[in-house]
Amino acid sequence: MIKVVDLHKSFGKLEVLKGITTMIKQGEVVAIIGPSGSGKSTFLRCLNLLEEPTSGKIWIGDQEITNPKTNIMKVRQNVGMVFQHFHLFPHMTVLENLTYAPMKVKGMTKVDAEAKGLELLQKVGLAEKANEYPNRLSGGQKQRVAIARALAMSPDVMLFDEPTSALDPEMVKEVLEVMKSLAHTGMTMAIVTHEMGFAREVADRVLFLDGGQLVEDAPPSEFFSAPKSKRAQEFLEKML
Amino acid sequence: MGFGVNLNFSQIIPSIPFILQGVGVTLKIVVFAALLGFVFGVILALCKIGRIKVLTWLADAYTSVFRGTPLVLQLMIIYFGLPQLIGFEIEAFPAAVIAFGLNSAAYISEIIRAGILAVDKGQREAAMALGVPYKRMMRDIILPQALKNILPALMNEFITLTKESAVVTVIGAMDIMRRAYIVGGQKYAYFEPLLIAGLIYYILVIILTLLGKAVEGRMRKSD
């Protein structure tokens, strides 16, 4: 589903990603963890080219998105993204946030888009907020709307960039629950997270990044109980 | 007879309708100039924040020149100077609209540029991640949010435009100002008609201010 080969990314002189090669299979849930500054968010943001890789290749499905000839706008329609700070459109209602892209980008009719939007709001437990503006929602509600907004495009892959890091502790659970049920539907997911318990429970694989390198790639049962590298051991000691 | 206040409004009263007819002229100039200034200002702002270096440079140079020279000079160049180059006369009305519009665009482009840059860059990323094309993103996501933030500054610019439109009197357009001046000349009394002109401008500005507040209130419904 996603294939990454020797991905490098530099910001000026700072090399953030130093050659990452990995694969994410269809339906797989991958947790990307690592200390801050390890390049995990940058890695995720390269997967839909919000960051332009300095070198290396990335495939989404059978499309090489790092090929300049690829229409990235088209690819992005199938790659949903959820941000740490939600980034809902504040001048649109919750439902309009969900229907905007399906209507304006995919050409869905208003009736269909609204039906789909309401169905998704139901799934994230926010149907009654359809006509509210985002500013009236709590952080956890905003993030659930943001997930629904990404799902409204019927993506094949969902990217999550620290989806619970900006939330008050009591709201983390409601968002993780939504993500968990999404994982059970067989959605391909790449999640940058600090929620070790969640990674352990939901992820099929853990990618541990440190210093711009992929240091470990293992199932959570292995990674959390017997990390191989010293860096992962140190990191887990601090986290758990 | 010594020193005394010698104001006589009653002799001016018959001329008030004549002065008031200037409101239409002033408003027509202001509305068209504001539209031209706004549309062109948006285009300039997009050039300034865009990636095409030549356009950025041109838009910056444009702003620099139009902000750096007097409005009355720009007006006179267009009305008196330009016909020399293009070989035909320009009426006072289009000349005024063009001069004020072009001048206003320079200021408005800076206001809009700042407004666009003040929109959280996450908005752009969220739109990009949904596959929204650049033009649509600007029109539906970024500009509406930018406009909301800069509305007070834009209103300010339109108010300035309304008042500054009085300089069209130098090219003979029959606006409020010019009419007041003519009445003054006819009656050998300038103070009263000019005072009336001032009152009219002031009322126009107050109406504009109220209008701006109403629009702002409507745009704040999402807060």
Side-chain angles (χ1 to χ4, degrees):
Chain A
M1 182 80 226
I2 300 177
K3 197 164 104 182
V4 180
V5 177
D6 198 25
L7 178 65
H8 287 258
K9 171 69 186 175
S10 301
F11 293 104
K13 278 187 185 150
L14 182 70
E15 193 175 22
V16 180
L17 297 178
K18 299 171 180 165
I20 291 185
T21 300
T22 190
M23 265 181 77
I24 299 174
K25 286 193 290 252
Q26 174 94 46
E28 210 172 16
V29 176
V30 173
I32 302 160
I33 65 177
S36 63
S38 59
K40 53 193 190 306
S41 276
T42 305
F43 171 71
L44 192 79
R45 289 161 58 83
C46 282
L47 297 182
N48 64 352
L49 295 197
L50 280 188
E51 300 294 352
E52 192 108 19
T54 309
S55 68
K57 289 185 173 173
I58 302 170
W59 282 265
I60 304 277
D62 52 6
Q63 288 203 288
E64 193 213 319
I65 62 170
T66 36
N67 183 337
K69 281 183 200 137
T70 304
N71 180 357
I72 185 63
M73 301 311 277
K74 204 88 194 156
V75 176
R76 282 181 184 145
Q77 293 175 27
N78 295 316
V79 181
M81 186 159 200
V82 175
F83 299 87
Q84 181 178 356
H85 295 287
F86 334 121
H87 302 328
L88 294 176
F89 304 133
H91 58 304
M92 298 182 187
T93 64
V94 164
L95 187 59
E96 284 166 356
N97 264 276
L98 267 64
T99 55
Y100 174 73
M103 282 164 59
K104 298 298 155 91
V105 180
K106 275 189 156 177
M108 221 189 232
T109 65
K110 191 171 184 202
V111 177
D112 289 350
E114 284 188 345
K116 170 137 199 173
L118 285 170
E119 182 197 317
L120 284 165
L121 283 178
Q122 195 93 48
K123 277 191 184 152
V124 300
L126 290 170
E128 79 281 7
K129 302 285 185 190
N131 297 314
E132 294 276 13
Y133 283 95
N135 284 356
R136 304 282 302 271
L137 305 181
S138 72
Q141 290 171 333
K142 281 182 193 167
Q143 196 59 301
R144 285 187 279 155
V145 172
I147 293 172
R149 177 178 67 178
L151 290 174
M153 292 293 280
S154 311
D156 302 323
V157 187
M158 284 284 282
L159 309 176
F160 293 83
D161 189 4
E162 303 200 26
T164 58
S165 298
L167 298 178
D168 290 337
E170 73 268 25
M171 290 169 183
V172 170
K173 197 167 164 244
E174 63 188 62
V175 171
L176 292 182
E177 286 301 322
V178 167
M179 290 169 63
K180 209 186 290 178
S181 59
L182 182 62
H184 291 316
T185 65
M187 175 65 75
T188 309
M189 293 161 75
I191 307 161
V192 171
T193 185
H194 293 293
E195 296 290 330
M196 295 302 141
F198 175 78
R200 188 175 215 157
E201 187 188 345
V202 179
D204 298 310
R205 260 167 67 210
V206 173
L207 304 183
F208 176 72
L209 266 65
D210 189 25
Q213 284 164 327
L214 179 56
V215 180
E216 285 199 41
D217 176 351
S221 54
E222 246 173 66
F223 177 80
F224 286 107
S225 54
K228 292 192 197 82
S229 67
K230 192 153 188 302
R231 282 190 281 183
Q233 286 163 15
E234 282 169 6
F235 174 73
L236 286 174
E237 257 166 45
K238 276 184 221 150
M239 292 298 292
L240 299 173
Chain B
M1 292 300 119
F3 189 82
V5 180
N6 195 8
L7 284 184
N8 183 358
F9 279 94
S10 60
Q11 60 163 333
I12 300 300
I13 288 172
S15 305
I16 287 181
F18 174 73
I19 298 178
L20 277 175
Q21 278 169 20
V23 172
V25 179
T26 294
L27 280 183
K28 232 163 78 186
I29 291 172
V30 169
V31 167
F32 283 102
L35 279 175
L36 174 65
F38 182 73
V39 172
F40 192 38
V42 170
I43 294 170
L44 284 172
L46 291 174
C47 290
K48 285 178 187 177
I49 60 157
R51 281 190 182 172
I52 306 167
K53 285 263 155 56
V54 187
L55 291 181
T56 306
W57 187 87
L58 280 174
D60 283 339
Y62 177 91
T63 304
S64 176
V65 169
F66 274 82
R67 282 204 306 194
T69 54
L71 173 58
V72 64
L73 173 93
Q74 294 161 19
L75 180 66
M76 288 174 95
I77 283 181
I78 288 171
Y79 184 70
F80 295 116
L82 210 53
Q84 223 173 303
L85 290 183
I86 55 179
F88 57 87
E89 300 272 311
I90 305 175
E91 299 272 320
F93 173 70
V97 167
I98 291 169
F100 293 139
L102 294 184
N103 182 273
S104 217
Y107 288 92
I108 289 177
S109 72
E110 276 302 290
I111 296 173
I112 292 175
R113 185 184 67 90
I116 290 173
L117 292 180
V119 174
D120 179 14
K121 81 176 191 342
Q123 292 291 310
R124 206 190 184 104
E125 291 190 345
M128 277 164 73
L130 287 165
V132 180
Y134 183 83
K135 261 193 194 162
R136 279 222 94 96
M137 171 182 79
M138 274 297 164
R139 203 179 68 195
D140 299 340
I141 311 286
I142 307 295
L143 281 177
Q145 293 184 55
L147 283 183
K148 190 172 125 182
N149 294 334
I150 61 176
L151 205 70
L154 271 184
M155 265 345 269
N156 218 3
E157 176 57 29
F158 293 143
I159 285 171
T160 304
L161 184 60
T162 306
K163 291 183 301 177
E164 294 295 298
S165 74
V167 310
V168 294
T169 197
V170 304
I171 60 168
M174 290 291 274
D175 71 327
I176 301 166
M177 187 68 198
R178 176 115 200 131
R179 283 163 189 266
Y181 185 70
I182 289 171
V183 170
Q186 287 167 347
K187 313 270 178 178
Y188 302 108
Y190 285 97
F191 200 89
E192 297 90 339
L194 288 177
L195 217 59
I196 287 169
L199 187 66
I200 296 172
Y201 279 112
Y202 186 66
I203 291 171
L204 285 182
V205 167
I206 295 296
I207 292 172
L208 250 154
T209 308
L210 292 175
L211 220 66
K213 287 220 168 99
V215 176
E216 213 179 317
R218 273 191 56 182
M219 285 185 123
R220 297 235 171 265
K221 69 178 188 246
S222 60
D223 289 352

